[in-house]
Amino acid sequence: MHTAEGGIQEVIVTAQRTSGLESKTPVAMSVVDGAALAAAGLDRPSDIGARLPGVAINGAADGLRITIRGVSNADATEKGEPSAAFMMDGIYIARPHGQNLDFLDVDRIEVLRGPQGTLYGRNTTAGVVNVISRAPTARFEGAAGVEMGNHGSRKADAVLNVPVSDAIALRAAVSTNRRDSLLRNGQGTPHTLGQDRDATTGRLSAKFALGSSASLLLRLDRSVQRDNNDVIVPDTNFYQGIETGNPVPYDAGTVARLTNAFVPPNTVPEQGHSRRASTGLGAEFSWDLGPATLHYLGAHRRFDHDFLVNYYYRIVPGFALGVRQDFDGSFEQDSHELRVATNGNGPVSGQAGIYWFREEMAQLATFRDLELIGLPPYYVFPSNPVTSSSRALFGQVTWRALDGLRLTAGARRTEDRKSRYGSTNLQQEQVFNPATDIALPNAAALATGKTTWRLGAEFDLAPSTMAYATVSTGYKSGGFNDGAAPDPTLVYRPETLKAYELGIKTRFWANRAGLNLSAYRYAYDNLQLSGVAMVQGVPRFVTANAGAASVKGVEVEGVLKPVAAGRLSYTLAFTDAHYLAYSPDGVHSWAGYKLDRAPRAVFTLGYEHGFQLRDGVMKAGVFSRSSSESTIGVPSQLLRYRIPGRTETDMRLGYEPAGSPWSVLLRVKNLQNKVEPVTIDSFGMTVPSEPRAVALRVDYRF
């Protein structure tokens, strides 16, 4: 970061795959640095969406749910793909349930809004969330912190950076995070419920200087989460009139909304559990060849997940069953990218590269307690293997046509392949018996491809003011449902988007104020919408193309330093995202209805101030977010849930003695202690947001 005396910080970003100032990057984006994350207590990806314009990032029961400008996705199964790419140090993380891991030693998070199909590739119709960790440096330093709060919250983390020699630097980081359940059990069982925390995360990094022109950065990370997947309550905790097809929100206390009092008529819940283990090895290599630099970025990652979860499974309006699901899955992915980027400030600059990705999955999902709807005791989905591969060629060129005018053109050709071998089994016992059980094949293979492109123009209106205009496209690969050919509903088409955007980025008032303004319009075709529906007498998770949608809006993001010790930040987002043509059942039309998690207006305001005391510095901060109402739709049930508008406020107060390595911080999140639905699925299972959290933290740095 760079800053002038009393001015706002200029952030160095890599949104265009090369380093540059955020204020000179022609992309609608937000940057949250690691220090701000720690101060606000935002310790995993699902925490940051409330801080960003046009963005909702939620921790759903089946993984991370990212919505950017109304573009989202609900299929977190092994055959689904996201609409927004989630990346860790530039590495695409494919499975949503492997994305919401604890932050560890983060340098910054770059959130790019709008399709990024040229430089980032497939599954970026909505945008990109890239979490960038700190790399080893040439300075010996370290830090440690401990934190305690309500709900039994306790956390500890530490970082150590060691320069071994002029050519080698090492960095190690570790954290542990614990919390009791936020939900209350009203089912009459002794079991604990979910929304608890039990996570341990570590990372080792090594940076090597290979002569004067090349460097290699290696990262090894490991995260294990042992918590409870029973993170839901019935939608009746929030809504009345569901049986009429028109859910209406009603007032209820926070404790009541966080209580699961559903007593299944057909079974007794078991103690839920979950274990997520994620391991990754990544490498970044760069070699300065003079006129150009060669970059390599690659990684191997493995994610293992097993759990037992108790469902609230609505069969018909007003009647629900209890269903237990056991799951065991393993997911491995490999990715490699080789890229060449020009150096210098000549009239033409550019980059080009090749990309390869492959993922292989094996899983076993078992549902019990569905006998009342005519199914046998075990309803089982074995899948092994499920494979997904992608390869791409891409390039982008920028021409400095005139002083202050730059024109950009880029394109990417992506080829995707998917295949799955498995079945839907109707079993009498836990182990399949071919003499008594039925196996319905789930076998499919699909190849899709798309050329995405980007055209852009940038113009310097003044030394610190830039305007830009872009036209870009996005692409999310197609897929297949349960079943086998020749089922006509087996395959669904790729999702595509064309985006038009105008923007201005400016710094003014002697660099004490900054403003980013963007206006956009999307043409959105073949939306992939998912939910559970009855197919041939059995429930299946089905994805279908939803026709077309229109998305348009305006976003404002600004910062102001009225005094040297004070900083005011604000965002404002107006969004109009609705279906143009969509019928969930072929009879009812949802044309004109809002897309999910796209409130018409969201406003955030934050202020922080440092008070110089005789024996130290006290820092105070407040952040508030106000949102108009939004919608969560369940197309397979023809239900639309209205999420009322709300305001949520966070506050913090810290103190650092003069000349001391110690500091202390008191933090309150969700001061109003209100909760709302985060996700609602086809069965009525609702993940609520988190109640008020209070924490006291102590840090030591050297």
Side-chain angles (χ1 to χ4, degrees):
M1 297 184 180
H2 301 279
T3 184
E5 182 67 28
I8 61 174
Q9 291 179 324
E10 283 281 16
V11 183
I12 303 296
V13 299
T14 53
Q16 295 280 273
R17 308 300 306 277
T18 57
S19 296
L21 295 176
E22 184 278 328
S23 62
K24 298 296 184 181
T25 301
V27 175
M29 65 180 299
S30 299
V31 183
V32 185
D33 69 35
L37 289 172
L42 310 177
D43 54 14
R44 58 180 174 180
S46 57
D47 291 341
I48 67 172
R51 301 273 169 153
L52 311 173
V55 176
I57 304 179
N58 305 120
D62 52 7
L64 200 65
R65 187 75 52 81
I66 303 174
T67 305
I68 302 178
R69 295 174 171 176
V71 181
S72 189
N73 177 67
D75 187 356
T77 68
E78 80 286 354
K79 55 189 175 53
E81 302 286 354
S83 295
F86 181 86
M87 297 184 170
M88 181 71 72
D89 294 314
I91 300 298
Y92 174 67
I93 309 297
R95 294 302 105 203
H97 46 199
Q99 296 172 354
N100 201 26
L101 305 177
D102 284 9
F103 291 141
L104 179 65
D105 196 26
V106 172
D107 179 72
R108 67 188 184 278
I109 302 175
E110 299 181 5
V111 180
L112 284 59
R113 302 186 293 276
Q116 307 296 326
T118 300
L119 294 179
Y120 290 91
R122 63 199 284 263
N123 303 337
T124 60
T125 51
V128 171
V129 177
N130 190 13
V131 180
I132 302 168
S133 58
R134 292 188 176 96
T137 67
R139 177 182 177 184
F140 178 77
E141 59 183 353
V146 293
E147 182 177 314
M148 297 188 69
N150 62 337
H151 309 297
S153 174
R154 57 269 192 207
K155 180 179 179 181
D157 51 70
V159 176
L160 180 63
N161 190 95
V162 179
V164 178
S165 67
D166 291 340
I168 303 174
L170 304 177
R171 191 176 185 92
V174 63
S175 76
T176 179
N177 196 342
R178 306 285 189 271
R179 185 183 67 195
D180 297 339
S181 173
L182 301 179
L183 303 182
R184 295 178 178 239
N185 187 348
Q187 297 179 294
T189 68
H191 308 320
T192 58
L193 300 182
Q195 296 206 9
D196 55 331
R197 300 282 287 273
D198 186 351
T200 301
T201 304
R203 182 189 304 116
L204 295 174
S205 306
K207 190 169 185 179
F208 304 90
L210 307 177
S212 60
S213 59
S215 66
L216 174 65
L217 174 60
L218 301 177
R219 292 187 176 99
L220 174 65
D221 65 84
R222 172 74 171 174
S223 178
V224 177
Q225 293 182 336
R226 294 181 177 89
D227 49 22
N228 191 334
N229 239 32
D230 283 341
V231 298
I232 60 93
V233 297
D235 53 1
T236 52
N237 282 23
F238 293 86
Y239 296 92
Q240 296 173 334
I242 297 168
E243 64 281 358
T244 69
N246 182 32
V248 177
Y250 70 94
D251 291 332
T254 296
V255 172
R257 287 183 164 178
L258 294 176
T259 299
N260 186 354
F262 170 63
V263 179
N266 60 317
T267 188
V268 176
E270 296 183 38
Q271 175 61 63
H273 63 80
S274 172
R275 181 183 183 273
R276 300 173 176 89
S278 177
T279 305
L281 176 62
E284 295 182 41
F285 173 76
S286 64
W287 186 10
D288 188 342
L289 303 174
T293 297
L294 177 69
H295 299 272
Y296 167 78
L297 178 63
H300 172 79
R301 299 198 64 86
R302 180 182 175 96
F303 177 71
D304 295 289
H305 192 194
D306 67 84
F307 64 76
L308 166 65
V309 63
N310 296 278
Y311 277 6
Y312 170 82
Y313 191 106
R314 180 181 294 117
I315 301 300
V316 294
F319 180 72
L321 297 178
V323 174
R324 292 168 290 173
Q325 183 196 356
D326 299 279
F327 179 89
D328 190 4
S330 63
F331 310 82
E332 291 194 67
Q333 66 169 67
D334 293 277
S335 61
H336 304 276
E337 180 186 82
L338 192 64
R339 181 171 58 92
V340 176
T342 59
N343 296 328
N345 297 310
V348 178
S349 60
Q351 54 187 305
I354 57 175
Y355 175 79
W356 182 88
F357 169 89
R358 188 177 191 278
E359 182 185 24
E360 183 167 321
M361 299 159 275
Q363 66 177 46
L364 177 66
T366 302
F367 297 85
R368 295 175 280 161
D369 312 313
L370 287 165
E371 291 91 334
L372 286 182
I373 64 170
L375 291 177
Y378 294 87
Y379 185 44
V380 185
F381 291 83
S383 296
N384 187 11
V386 183
T387 62
S388 175
S389 63
S390 181
R391 55 188 181 181
L393 293 171
F394 64 92
Q396 183 164 293
V397 176
T398 298
W399 173 39
R400 293 168 177 80
L402 299 170
D403 287 342
L405 175 63
R406 298 169 295 280
L407 304 176
T408 297
R412 185 183 190 107
R413 178 62 188 179
T414 300
E415 300 286 346
D416 291 321
R417 293 183 180 274
K418 292 183 181 181
S419 65
R420 177 174 62 155
Y421 178 78
S423 60
T424 300
N425 295 354
L426 308 177
Q427 300 178 194
Q428 299 300 319
E429 302 290 342
Q430 186 171 4
V431 177
F432 184 80
N433 183 347
T436 59
D437 300 336
I438 299 173
L440 306 174
N442 293 327
L446 179 68
T448 59
K450 185 72 175 180
T451 298
T452 52
W453 49 267
R454 177 185 180 92
L455 299 175
E458 312 160 42
F459 187 73
D460 295 329
L461 302 177
S464 57
T465 302
M466 176 192 71
Y468 66 91
T470 61
V471 182
S472 56
T473 61
Y475 152 77
K476 185 171 80 170
S477 59
F480 39 76
N481 292 304
D482 295 343
D487 184 349
T489 65
L490 179 65
V491 174
Y492 51 88
R493 298 183 299 277
E495 187 177 87
T496 60
L497 184 152
K498 181 181 287 186
Y500 304 86
E501 185 153 348
L502 298 173
I504 293 177
K505 295 188 175 185
T506 182
R507 302 294 180 265
F508 55 98
W509 194 23
N511 199 41
R512 292 167 61 185
L515 177 68
N516 294 349
L517 172 67
S518 61
Y520 60 91
R521 186 182 185 95
Y522 291 174
Y524 193 13
D525 293 317
N526 290 327
L527 291 79
Q528 296 170 7
L529 298 182
S530 305
V532 174
M534 297 299 293
V535 179
Q536 297 178 345
V538 296
R540 299 284 187 98
F541 192 83
V542 177
T543 297
N545 295 106
S550 171
V551 182
K552 56 187 176 183
V554 175
E555 295 166 348
V556 179
E557 189 170 20
V559 61
L560 176 68
K561 293 201 70 175
V563 294
R567 184 179 187 273
L568 180 125
S569 60
Y570 60 92
T571 69
L572 181 62
F574 292 104
T575 307
D576 178 12
H578 61 271
Y579 298 105
L580 292 176
Y582 176 42
S583 176
D585 60 353
V587 177
H588 299 83
S589 174
W590 279 20
Y593 288 174
K594 289 182 181 180
L595 299 187
D596 286 1
R597 300 173 188 85
R600 183 169 293 274
V602 178
F603 174 66
T604 71
L605 182 64
Y607 184 74
E608 54 190 39
H609 196 97
F611 299 91
Q612 191 71 44
L613 306 178
R614 184 175 62 180
D615 56 351
V617 176
M618 180 174 290
K619 295 181 179 179
V622 61
F623 174 85
S624 189
R625 178 183 188 270
S626 294
S627 170
S628 62
E629 68 176 42
S630 59
T631 300
I632 295 178
V634 181
S636 62
Q637 306 299 319
L638 295 179
L639 292 175
R640 296 180 56 76
Y641 296 86
R642 182 173 64 87
I643 313 298
R646 64 180 297 213
T647 297
E648 184 173 315
T649 304
D650 300 344
M651 302 180 71
R652 67 179 187 271
L653 182 65
Y655 177 70
E656 184 174 346
S660 172
W662 295 94
S663 63
V664 62
L665 176 68
L666 177 65
R667 182 194 312 119
V668 180
K669 298 167 64 176
N670 187 7
L671 183 66
Q672 292 85 350
N673 197 31
K674 301 292 187 180
V675 298
E676 65 178 355
V678 169
T679 63
I680 307 174
D681 73 2
S682 303
F683 309 126
M685 293 191 292
T686 302
V687 176
S689 60
E690 297 185 0
R692 181 188 300 127
V694 181
L696 179 67
R697 180 178 178 86
V698 178
D699 284 287
Y700 178 81
R701 300 175 181 86
F702 59 90

